[in-house]
Amino acid sequence: MIRFSRPALMAIGLIGTCLAGHPALATSLAELYQSQTIVNGQGEEHRQAGFKVCLDKVLVRVSGDQRLPAKPQMTALRDKAGSFVSSFRYRDRMEGIPNHDDQGTYDRPHDLTCQYTPPVIDKVLAELGSKPWLGERPIISVLLAVQDARQHFVLASDGDESPYMAESFQSAAGPLAMKIVIPSKAALVKAGAIFEQVRALSPELLAGTVGNEELLAGSLVWSDKELGWIADWRLAMNGKAYKWQVRGVNFDEAFRVAMRGAAQILSGNGQPE
């Protein structure tokens, strides 16, 4: 198996951090206890459906535990999801675009942002056997090998092989109040990181951090049989190696699975499912 040297891994993380600029400020408590979804209008039916989705999201966001929405107790909790919301607001996603007809007046897509108070959500988490994951969230350094029928490459923040992947990965981190660093092409070259090395990287080789960052390594392979991407993710924490996989998805979902898994591990909630 091809191995990275420890200095090479650190170079990727440290150079990526420098090029990314100053890290964002730690998420405030108010920001942590909020979630967002898209609804098809401001009517009561859409709002109540949005409250249910936002409840699932805020519980995972606050706890880091992606298993919570699948718990049987969630059925009853979703039925009263609106009662947990302290305030909410809308943003018209088509702001500035005039309605084309009367129908458009009622079902324009909106971002629905729900705000919650910590005692309310903490109580719900306790009922589910969970607890808040407070404190500053770790920064995650991403090493990702990508392969499809035409090309293979290591994902770079300024790469042009698939210009939307880096943006999509960043978007996947936001709902979990986390921050990722994707190395630049220059950082990858300096570290000698090539496709075969990144694809071969296993959790057993990871010491858990790259500089001041956690290291998330992955491979993303297109499969005609699966009609989508096969994504394998690896992360180590406290000397234990974790692996998880998703198959037959678009890369947006592959990155969401990566971040949900990383959050579950780093929050102390164990193996991603």
Side-chain angles (χ1 to χ4, degrees), residues 26 85 89 92 99 109 114 128 150 167 189 192 196 207 265-266:
V85 178
R89 64 181 184 274
D92 187 346
N99 294 327
C114 292
L128 296 170
R150 300 179 296 106
E167 180 181 348
V189 169
E196 288 78 9
I265 295 164
L266 297 173

Side-chain angles (χ1 to χ4, degrees), residues 135-154:
E136 188 172 354
R137 302 280 165 105
I139 298 173
I140 295 178
S141 187
V142 174
L143 273 178
L144 176 63
V146 182
Q147 180 177 9
D148 60 24
R150 300 179 296 106
Q151 60 183 346
H152 61 263
F153 58 93
V154 179

Side-chain angles (χ1 to χ4, degrees), residues 110-163:
H110 287 72
D111 290 327
L112 170 64
T113 300
C114 292
Q115 187 68 53
Y116 304 85
T117 60
V120 169
I121 293 301
D122 292 355
K123 182 179 179 181
V124 175
L125 289 174
E127 292 175 7
L128 296 170
S130 186
K131 62 183 180 180
W133 176 28
L134 301 177
E136 188 172 354
R137 302 280 165 105
I139 298 173
I140 295 178
S141 187
V142 174
L143 273 178
L144 176 63
V146 182
Q147 180 177 9
D148 60 24
R150 300 179 296 106
Q151 60 183 346
H152 61 263
F153 58 93
V154 179
L155 184 65
S157 58
D158 54 351
D160 54 10
E161 297 90 351
S162 183

Side-chain angles (χ1 to χ4, degrees), residues 15-265:
I15 295 172
T17 300
C18 291
L19 292 178
H22 297 292
L25 294 175
T27 302
S28 70
L29 203 60
E31 291 171 324
L32 183 62
Y33 283 81
Q34 70 176 213
S35 59
Q36 185 180 92
T37 191
I38 299 173
V39 294
N40 293 322
Q42 297 188 39
E44 182 66 17
E45 180 181 356
H46 297 307
R47 181 161 56 250
Q48 293 302 323
F51 284 162
K52 294 179 181 181
V53 176
C54 282
L55 178 62
D56 283 12
K57 288 187 173 184
V58 76
L59 293 174
V60 175
R61 178 178 172 89
V62 173
S63 69
D65 190 352
Q66 64 176 322
R67 299 168 299 181
L68 297 184
K71 292 208 168 190
Q73 304 96 304
M74 286 301 302
T75 300
L77 290 171
R78 290 189 191 102
D79 287 341
K80 53 181 180 180
S83 68
F84 303 120
V85 178
S86 63
S87 64
F88 63 90
R89 64 181 184 274
Y90 291 103
R91 185 184 72 84
D92 187 346
R93 295 177 65 87
M94 298 176 66
E95 186 175 4
I97 301 175
N99 294 327
H100 295 294
D101 50 37
D102 186 62
Q103 178 68 22
T105 302
Y106 302 102
D107 58 6
R108 289 167 66 93
H110 287 72
D111 290 327
L112 170 64
T113 300
C114 292
Q115 187 68 53
Y116 304 85
T117 60
V120 169
I121 293 301
D122 292 355
K123 182 179 179 181
V124 175
L125 289 174
E127 292 175 7
L128 296 170
S130 186
K131 62 183 180 180
W133 176 28
L134 301 177
E136 188 172 354
R137 302 280 165 105
I139 298 173
I140 295 178
S141 187
V142 174
L143 273 178
L144 176 63
V146 182
Q147 180 177 9
D148 60 24
R150 300 179 296 106
Q151 60 183 346
H152 61 263
F153 58 93
V154 179
L155 184 65
S157 58
D158 54 351
D160 54 10
E161 297 90 351
S162 183
Y164 302 109
M165 278 191 177
E167 180 181 348
S168 174
F169 219 141
Q170 294 286 356
S171 296
L176 292 160
M178 299 179 74
K179 179 179 175 62
I180 66 169
V181 173
I182 299 173
S184 68
K185 290 189 290 187
L188 292 170
V189 169
K190 185 169 183 177
I194 60 175
F195 173 81
E196 288 78 9
Q197 288 177 311
V198 176
R199 183 177 59 178
L201 195 62
S202 71
E204 290 79 4
L205 303 179
L206 307 181
T209 61
V210 181
N212 294 321
E213 301 161 14
E214 302 293 335
L215 176 60
L216 173 65
S219 66
L220 193 63
V221 179
W222 177 261
S223 170
D224 289 334
K225 180 180 179 180
E226 298 282 351
L227 298 178
W229 295 95
I230 299 173
D232 288 279
W233 303 106
R234 295 96 79 191
L235 187 148
M237 180 183 178
N238 297 330
K240 183 175 180 179
Y242 295 88
K243 300 179 184 180
W244 64 106
Q245 184 188 78
V246 64
R247 305 174 70 90
V249 297
N250 59 34
F251 63 72
D252 295 310
E253 179 61 15
F255 299 153
R256 287 191 287 265
V257 168
M259 294 309 304
R260 290 196 296 262
Q264 181 156 327
I265 295 164

